[in-house]
Amino acid sequence: MRPFVYQRAASLADAVEAGSQGAGRLPPTIAAAQYLAGGTTLLDLMKLDVMRPETVVDINGVDPVRRRIERRPDGLRLGAFATMAEAADHADVKRDYPVVAQALDLAASPQLRNMATLGGNVLQRTRCPYFRDQKYSACNKRDPGSGCAALEGVNRKHAVLGVSGSCIATYPGDFAQALVALDALVEIVGPDGGRVMPFEALHREPGETPHIETNLAPGEIIVGFVLPAAAWTRRSVYLKIRDRQSYEFALASAAVALDMADDVVNAARIGLGGVATRPWRAREAEAVLSGGKIDRAVAQRAAEAAFAGARTSGDNQYKRELGKRTLVRALLQAAELSV
Amino acid sequence: MDGNLGRPGAIGTATPRVDGRLKVTGEARYASDFPLADPAFAFLATSAIARGRIADIDEGEARAVPGVLDILTFRNIGDAVKRTKLFSDGGYVGSTIMPLGSDRIFHDGQIVAVVLAETFEAAREGAHRLNLSYAPEAPSAGFDSPGAETVAARDVSSTFEDPAVGDAEAALATAAVTVDERYATPTQHHNPIELFTTSCAWSDGKLTVWEPSQNVTGLKYGLAEQLGIEPDNIRVVSPYIGGAFGSRGSLTQRTVLIAVAARRLNRPVKLVAMRYQGFTIATYRAETRHHIKLGADRDGKLVALVHEGEEVTSRPDNYKVAGTDASTRLYACPNVASKVSMVHADRNTPGFMRSPPEVPYLFALESAMDELAIALNINPVELRRRNDTDKEPIKGLPYTSRSLMACFDAAAKSFGWDRRTPQPGSMRDGDWLVGWGCATTMYPTQVAPAAARVTVTPQGSVKVQTAAHDIGTGAYTVVALTAADKLGVPVDKVIVELGDSDLPPAPVAGGSNTTASICNVVAKACEQIRAKIAAAAVGADSVFKGADAATLVLADGHLQGPGGTSEPLDKAVRRVSNGAIEVYAENIPHGAPPDGIAKLYQGHPALAGGAKLKDRIQFAFGAEFVEVRVHALTREVRAPRVVGAFAAGKIVDPTTAKSQLMGGLIWGVSSALHEATEIDRRVARYVNTDLAEYLIPVNADVEVADVILVPEDDRQVNDLGIKGLGELGNVGTNAAVANAVYHATGVRIRELPVRLEKLLDAPVAL
Ligand SMILES: Cc1cc2nc3c(=O)[nH]c(=O)nc-3n(C[C@H](O)[C@H](O)[C@H](O)COP(=O)(O)OP(=O)(O)OC[C@H]3O[C@@H](n4cnc5c(N)ncnc54)[C@H](O)[C@@H]3O)c2cc1C
Ligand code: SF4
């Protein structure tokens, strides 16, 4: 960790101003100013000397309203400064958006969920060990242009969807898979005012520039998420497969919401975690499912479609098969069919 | 707690740990909790290459960090640290690699500099700003790496013998049924929750060291040798230890560097190493490979057993665990051959980790036994019964006691083993494939020379002092129970002092010897006190006048004699002394060298027992049963139910014993399903060096872990009949898990850890 200036923002405008300082054209991940929410990603990486902000702008005191979870005509709005625990325990979330409650509940540990915020959560960085260890000189995400140590390294936990020759790091979060599956919106405030965009448009694939992880402009702050008001969100599940029962990132996960009438699927919405470089919407799989009945064979075809473009790198070869089975299991669970 | 425990029979009474309250209230002081006057803080800089040389160190940026005081490197440390020998060659250190000994790098994460500063933060920043450049060479990461060098243990150690008897290969050639398979276990790290900390303070040429240690006496003598000073100028303080598991048994090289730093700065220095640094500045369990060949007749009786083991070690050190000592002696078998080899690679030196030999070697043997049971279509429990023995097969020495089958029977009954259907995949429960497996555990019963001082005041307060260690096991409690049993005072009147090298010396807390070694010497001291009190009583004008002193006992705060004669303890004590009675005692157990106490006073514990005795063999045994559940589709593996039955002689405190064994079972499951240090073989560097990525079970992984204590009376092992059990619970569990996974899925995992990707292709129907 290196010395930094700590600033406590008193208002959102304050925060945006401080956060935009000296940002220049740097993408937020390597900007000189970083927002501090729960700090469970940021401080970790600063202690490892991986993130080296010059200014840390504490946004916890900004505006209590931004913490609120409130019902609106267009859906449920989750304030970005609410903690993971607050959102997971919220009665409306649990009743109407099980996939969100489950994704949050199955993430991290109670202590972390009490600290971490929803905004920070969607922006958490990868767990790629080569990214987190300065001793590896090759990491395009940490040091653009330096190469990728994971391509031929220990990569059992790395991604198979959305990978590039520059980076195969897995997007590690769970909550974002639920958001991407539910067609959620994200509300953003920045130096040029506010904007709203589909959550799906927030993150980017690594391509040639894995250090640019989102489409946030310098200084922009996430202030909320809007979950759609619709009956189908109630038929939703988050399934997370891992080596131990709790407190671990996903090897593969699936966020599934089914809009069903009798036993026919009107529309399926699918997010995939643990297997992709960004929160992953599996539209090819959705297309297989929509308009028909669902059973084991159909679910299997959908899963095949979801992973048709998978590219493995060695240790993570199994993720193609595991990812498919995870999706099949989640679909059957959402449709209340047995394995 | 029963305040009236003060009588014979206290030993064996379930008692909550006496230091429990201090621990849960945060009052117990761990090494780095001791306040130091005006300390400087150390942060370690560690190597980014595994092999080669340091080409240059640019300290400019680091020294410019405000608060940085000094930076120790190989360039400026001179000969402040003397070269010493590995513990197994008569020295004290767990690795002979001297981190700042030269520009040479022996392994990734080797200490290359110690940055000293006014604050922890400044020291850390200094370390991050230190610019090192290297002249790297291609490292060997481990097995099969180019440049790794294999040596046979018997070729490099004059005292090592590969156990063998008969003609195993000939017997194999004609055996009715054979198993011939290879097994492997991964690299694992202890990761005790308390980090590797060291604080050092000098005063008038005398050094005090606060460090979590399993061997304060060894640390004192070893450090004296490294510093070239008189051992009596060093005091090591380590009253509470937040887990150790072997990682704090031999001296690590960090300690002397902090001592040197404190001397240079002329002020106390405190180091709290990072979690990731613990992977490379201390020891670990190296990966092993095994080739097992079993031959049996149609009834399942073994006719041949071959066990060849290979273990990774560092370049310079010949560390090995050599578990064939146990695995070749577990079952009756007339023809046995074995071989242990070490593979030198560019890695830090491995070391003791809870049941160092038995965990990997019994994984191989107990997996192979399961395969043999399947080949013969015999119940795995029955196979063990047919090969049970009361003498070990290599030299024909008798076991002092062996309750293996009693353990199997007790655990099988509790587990419900008779409801098992043998066909793999046959015990499905909804979407989950259920598998049941079992395995044997064994651990050598070892006792070491030890010394202790016991003081009794007329008020009936007892103080027991010995430089033994409570590494979370319950040593404080079993020592208090021993004094309560022998001196007739309640447990809460016994003050136990441990973990200080100024106290009478005690052996390393390793090899599960502490309870047996310490309780026996404390009992001996107590007996001398009783004898003094009794002799004075029968010789004086008292109710005991003329009685045989040997018949008097201390119980319930009284001296008691035949025919209901009794007298309060204070009166009996005052007859001997106006003040306190203080006795110092030493004990040399059966099989230990006659100069065992002299060795102890140089910090060398002389553990005796196990398979090393000339006249007999002594082990504790147990049987472990595991239920695994494998999801039919996604194949993740859970072990919701574990049952172990153990016989380990006299159980001094069933409460702490059960915790040890339960923790062992959980660790055992972990060693099969969770724990594995990944290595990037290109650079010989550990990859998952934090507790988010190095998995250990969380609460949700453990549903039932039942411990059954099978009674066993063995007065041969020592006077009190105690066998060690600290390392008994986590042996064989890994095999029981793998055996259960086979039963669930039909897939035999011979290379740990069990991971779901190894099961995706299992033949069971989905
Ligand atoms: C051991 C461990 C296990 C974990 N396991 C899981 C798991 O299983 N599943 C899972 O999903 N997560 C897991 N996590 C990650 C954890 O959920 C995230 O660290 C956490 O959600 C981040 O939120 P925060 O508020 O602490 O973010 P911070 O650390 O404060 O911020 C993270 C980043 O986002 C930026 N930022 C924060 N808030 C905003 C905002 N409102 N607008 C714009 N930028 C912002 C910060 O500048 C920073 O760069 C784990 C973490 C740890 C340490
Ligand atoms: S996968 Fe991405 S984060 Fe990991 S080393 Fe490669 S570039 Fe860096």
Side-chain angles (χ1 to χ4, degrees):
Chain A
M1 191 182 271
R2 312 198 169 205
F4 55 87
V5 175
Y6 171 84
Q7 250 175 288
R8 199 169 164 86
S11 68
L12 196 56
D14 248 24
V16 171
E17 196 190 317
S20 315
Q21 292 279 316
R25 304 209 54 78
L26 289 179
T29 47
I30 53 175
Q34 290 289 332
Y35 295 122
L36 175 75
T40 62
T41 288
L42 181 65
L43 295 184
D44 253 26
L45 291 172
M46 286 170 67
K47 287 185 202 165
L48 292 171
D49 207 26
V50 170
M51 288 182 79
R52 301 170 179 182
E54 286 162 24
T55 307
V56 168
V57 183
D58 186 339
I59 51 178
N60 285 290
V62 163
D63 177 358
V65 174
R66 321 239 164 241
R67 250 185 117 104
R68 260 194 225 150
I69 296 172
E70 53 189 355
R71 188 158 276 292
R72 297 195 317 206
D74 57 339
L76 192 69
R77 183 182 180 280
L78 310 175
F81 301 169
T83 64
M84 293 169 73
E86 285 165 351
D89 291 345
H90 196 274
D92 288 4
V93 176
K94 285 210 270 215
R95 187 187 57 242
D96 296 338
Y97 307 93
V99 65
V100 173
Q102 290 163 15
L104 289 166
D105 245 347
L106 294 173
S109 66
Q111 294 89 334
L112 284 158
R113 295 196 293 270
N114 286 337
M115 285 299 292
T117 63
L118 299 181
N121 182 281
V122 299
L123 296 177
Q124 65 181 284
R125 312 292 305 274
T126 184
R127 299 293 303 186
C128 172
Y130 300 103
F131 170 71
R132 294 171 62 86
D133 185 348
Q134 278 290 352
K135 287 180 181 168
Y136 290 95
S137 50
C139 173
N140 289 325
K141 194 185 272 300
R142 180 166 28 82
D143 188 6
S146 61
C148 171
L151 280 177
E152 285 167 11
V154 175
N155 53 29
R156 173 175 185 262
K157 295 189 175 167
H158 284 72
V160 298
L161 294 171
V163 298
S164 75
S166 298
C167 181
I168 56 170
T170 304
Y171 172 81
D174 297 299
F175 173 54
Q177 315 304 341
L179 294 177
V180 83
L182 290 181
D183 289 323
L185 304 175
V186 56
E187 298 175 350
I188 296 159
V189 171
D192 305 327
R195 61 182 177 130
V196 177
M197 64 175 172
F199 180 76
E200 200 184 343
L202 180 65
H203 289 82
R204 298 164 53 127
E205 284 184 25
E208 302 285 289
T209 53
H211 60 291
I212 308 177
E213 295 176 354
T214 68
N215 291 317
L216 288 179
E220 282 190 321
I221 295 187
I222 297 177
V223 293
F225 306 93
V226 184
L227 308 177
W232 54 261
T233 61
R234 288 194 177 190
R235 186 187 281 278
S236 65
V237 298
Y238 189 70
L239 176 66
K240 182 173 180 183
I241 306 300
R242 42 188 165 173
D243 290 320
R244 69 179 168 193
Q245 184 67 15
S246 177
Y247 199 9
E248 198 194 354
F249 293 93
L251 294 173
S253 72
V256 168
L258 294 181
D259 179 358
M260 290 180 72
D262 298 325
D263 53 354
V264 173
V265 177
N266 293 329
R269 291 176 179 78
I270 298 170
L272 296 176
V275 290
T277 54
R278 51 159 293 170
W280 193 262
R281 182 79 184 253
R283 292 193 192 277
E284 306 81 351
E286 295 172 7
V288 172
L289 293 162
S290 72
K293 291 191 178 186
I294 181 169
D295 61 16
R296 172 78 185 265
V298 174
Q300 184 68 36
R301 277 210 308 284
E304 298 292 343
F307 283 85
R311 257 172 57 200
T312 62
S313 304
D315 302 339
N316 68 358
Q317 219 188 334
Y318 72 98
K319 278 200 176 181
R320 188 199 312 262
E321 179 62 21
L322 179 67
K324 286 193 261 183
R325 293 197 194 180
T326 303
L327 178 52
V328 169
R329 189 174 152 191
L331 285 169
L332 295 177
Q333 203 174 311
E336 292 166 87
L337 299 170
S338 69
V339 168
Chain B
M1 189 186 311
D2 176 2
N4 299 320
L5 277 179
R7 70 180 77 97
I11 292 181
T13 304
T15 308
R17 63 183 69 223
V18 296
D19 49 337
R21 191 187 162 78
L22 287 178
K23 286 184 169 171
V24 298
T25 55
E27 274 180 79
R29 262 198 189 156
Y30 292 79
S32 61
D33 296 338
F34 283 85
L36 302 173
D38 187 30
F41 294 85
F43 196 94
L44 304 175
T46 56
S47 151
I49 64 164
R51 182 187 168 100
R53 294 184 180 280
I54 300 172
D56 190 31
I57 306 176
D58 176 0
E59 301 179 9
E61 223 189 299
R63 287 204 182 257
V65 171
V68 166
L69 299 165
D70 197 1
I71 299 174
L72 296 189
T73 68
F74 78 91
R75 288 184 187 158
N76 61 16
I77 195 167
D79 62 354
V81 180
K82 313 284 174 283
R83 171 163 292 282
T84 59
K85 286 189 281 193
L86 196 66
F87 72 91
S88 52
D89 295 330
Y92 303 90
V93 290
S95 169
T96 62
I97 296 168
M98 293 170 66
L100 306 186
S102 71
D103 60 352
R104 185 94 223 152
I105 300 296
F106 290 87
H107 61 87
D108 174 68
Q110 175 180 322
I111 300 170
V112 290
V114 183
V115 180
L116 301 158
E118 294 288 351
T119 62
F120 169 80
E121 289 75 13
R124 179 173 59 187
E125 189 192 350
H128 286 157
R129 289 188 189 271
L130 199 59
N131 292 311
L132 279 100
S133 46
Y134 301 92
E137 297 160 21
S140 311
F143 292 134
D144 303 328
S145 294
E149 191 194 345
T150 305
V151 295
R154 60 172 174 247
D155 292 344
V156 291
S157 163
S158 55
T159 52
F160 183 79
E161 266 176 56
D162 286 313
V165 69
D167 186 341
E169 290 298 336
L172 274 170
T174 57
V177 180
T178 58
V179 168
D180 181 343
E181 295 294 351
R182 291 172 191 272
Y183 304 87
T185 61
T187 316
Q188 296 177 334
H189 280 79
H190 315 77
N191 279 310
I193 286 299
E194 185 185 15
L195 296 163
F196 291 97
T197 77
T198 300
S199 297
C200 288
W202 291 86
S203 170
D204 298 330
K206 291 193 183 283
L207 170 65
T208 307
V209 180
W210 294 266
E211 181 177 304
S213 172
Q214 292 173 265
N215 190 3
V216 290
T217 310
L219 201 157
K220 161 177 156 167
Y221 285 90
L223 187 58
E225 195 176 75
Q226 285 179 304
L227 289 167
I229 65 172
E230 280 302 310
D232 284 346
N233 288 332
I234 297 181
R235 179 177 174 209
V236 181
V237 182
S238 183
Y240 296 101
I241 297 126
F245 316 117
S247 65
R248 318 206 202 268
S250 37
L251 184 56
T252 74
Q253 297 276 357
R254 76 181 190 276
T255 311
V256 69
L257 297 179
I258 301 306
V260 168
R263 195 166 55 190
R264 274 167 73 113
L265 293 184
N266 197 22
R267 76 195 256 199
V269 172
K270 180 170 181 170
L271 168 76
V272 178
M274 298 287 97
R275 173 66 61 194
Y276 67 86
Q277 294 175 335
F279 282 75
T280 59
I281 66 165
T283 63
Y284 62 102
R285 193 195 296 284
E287 58 271 36
T288 68
R289 295 201 294 209
H290 307 260
H291 187 185
I292 299 253
K293 292 186 253 182
L294 299 179
D297 66 20
R298 288 262 165 239
D299 295 331
K301 278 201 161 34
L302 288 172
V303 296
L305 184 159
V306 178
H307 193 166
E308 291 170 3
E310 275 184 291
E311 313 172 11
V312 163
T313 185
S314 65
R315 268 309 159 188
D317 293 327
N318 278 317
Y319 178 83
K320 62 175 183 308
V321 299
T324 45
D325 238 13
S327 68
T328 59
R329 291 176 164 93
L330 176 49
Y331 297 116
C333 183
N335 302 290
V336 177
S338 68
K339 184 179 179 189
V340 170
S341 305
M342 288 161 276
V343 175
H344 291 280
D346 299 302
R347 298 269 300 279
N348 48 325
T349 306
F352 311 112
M353 182 159 153
R354 200 172 185 181
S355 332
E358 290 77 15
V359 164
Y361 280 74
L362 258 64
F363 168 68
L365 178 63
E366 289 298 289
S367 295
M369 286 296 280
D370 200 62
E371 301 206 50
L372 182 63
I374 289 159
L376 287 159
N377 197 18
I378 293 180
N379 185 320
V381 175
E382 181 57 25
L383 183 68
R384 268 83 177 183
R385 195 183 313 280
R386 292 191 191 167
N387 290 289
D388 194 22
T389 178
D390 55 9
K391 53 185 200 299
E392 57 86 33
I394 306 297
K395 294 183 180 148
L397 300 176
Y399 277 102
T400 55
S401 60
R402 173 167 159 131
S403 310
L404 177 62
M405 292 323 298
C407 290
F408 263 107
D409 292 339
K413 183 154 180 260
S414 160
F415 188 81
W417 184 251
D418 57 356
R419 297 195 306 274
R420 179 181 186 262
T421 53
Q423 190 59 30
S426 63
M427 291 181 67
R428 191 168 171 150
D429 177 8
D431 294 342
W432 294 85
L433 307 167
V434 178
W436 289 2
C438 66
T440 296
T441 172
M442 70 191 301
Y443 194 82
T445 298
Q446 306 184 92
V447 197
R453 184 166 48 233
V454 179
T455 311
V456 186
T457 69
Q459 290 75 26
S461 289
V462 172
K463 187 188 276 184
V464 184
Q465 296 169 302
T466 171
H469 318 80
D470 190 327
I471 54 178
T473 44
Y476 280 109
T477 310
V478 294
V479 171
L481 281 172
T482 304
D485 185 291
K486 300 298 175 196
L487 295 176
V489 299
V491 165
D492 55 16
K493 290 281 234 171
V494 184
I495 296 163
V496 183
E497 290 180 7
L498 307 176
D500 183 335
S501 66
D502 277 359
L503 301 175
V508 60
S512 297
N513 87 88
T514 292
T515 303
S517 305
I518 302 305
C519 291
N520 275 289
V521 73
V522 168
K524 197 167 165 180
C526 293
E527 164 55 21
Q528 288 174 23
I529 290 172
R530 187 209 62 85
K532 277 181 202 250
I533 293 172
V538 297
D541 190 13
S542 76
V543 292
F544 305 110
K545 191 172 172 64
D548 178 358
T551 63
L552 304 195
V553 296
L554 293 168
D556 297 324
H558 287 73
L559 180 64
Q560 299 177 351
T565 50
S566 176
E567 160 184 289
L569 180 64
D570 59 344
K571 196 169 170 191
V573 169
R574 285 207 178 87
R575 205 176 279 120
V576 180
S577 163
N578 285 325
I581 306 176
E582 182 174 291
V583 164
Y584 164 85
E586 296 171 346
N587 187 45
I588 302 185
H590 176 81
D595 64 346
I597 292 292
K599 284 201 159 77
L600 185 64
Y601 270 90
Q602 293 155 12
H604 292 303
L607 272 64
K612 297 267 191 287
L613 300 173
K614 292 201 163 54
D615 56 337
R616 67 195 200 203
I617 177 166
Q618 50 192 43
F619 273 78
F621 288 91
E624 300 179 355
F625 289 72
V626 175
E627 172 175 317
V628 299
R629 285 172 173 251
V630 181
H631 193 272
L633 207 49
T634 41
R635 300 291 154 94
E636 69 271 29
V637 187
R638 303 290 181 255
R641 202 159 67 92
V642 193
V643 175
F646 306 93
K650 183 78 193 172
I651 303 301
V652 181
D653 180 0
T655 301
T656 52
K658 278 191 174 175
S659 315
Q660 273 303 294
L661 292 164
M662 188 188 298
L665 288 173
I666 295 166
W667 176 309
V669 168
S670 176
S671 74
L673 291 184
H674 300 117
E675 290 184 55
T677 311
E678 316 270 0
I679 300 170
D680 188 315
R681 292 177 59 87
R682 300 167 300 179
V683 290
R685 182 179 307 156
Y686 303 131
V687 173
N688 51 337
T689 53
D690 62 50
L691 288 180
E693 313 291 337
Y694 182 93
L695 300 186
I696 55 170
V698 294
N699 281 329
D701 289 294
V702 185
E703 291 177 36
V704 176
D706 276 348
V707 170
I708 300 164
L709 295 171
V710 173
E712 186 179 65
D713 189 25
D714 182 342
R715 297 287 151 171
Q716 256 182 292
V717 283
N718 50 67
D719 288 349
L720 296 178
I722 299 167
K723 291 180 171 181
L725 54 73
E727 292 162 272
L728 184 61
N730 64 315
V731 176
T733 336
N734 46 9
V737 169
N739 297 343
V741 166
Y742 175 81
H743 183 229
T745 63
V747 178
R748 174 63 62 181
I749 305 284
R750 299 193 182 89
E751 188 171 339
L752 294 180
V754 177
R755 292 280 192 243
L756 57 77
E757 59 264 37
K758 299 176 182 175
L759 302 173
L760 287 175
D761 296 331
V764 284
L766 291 182

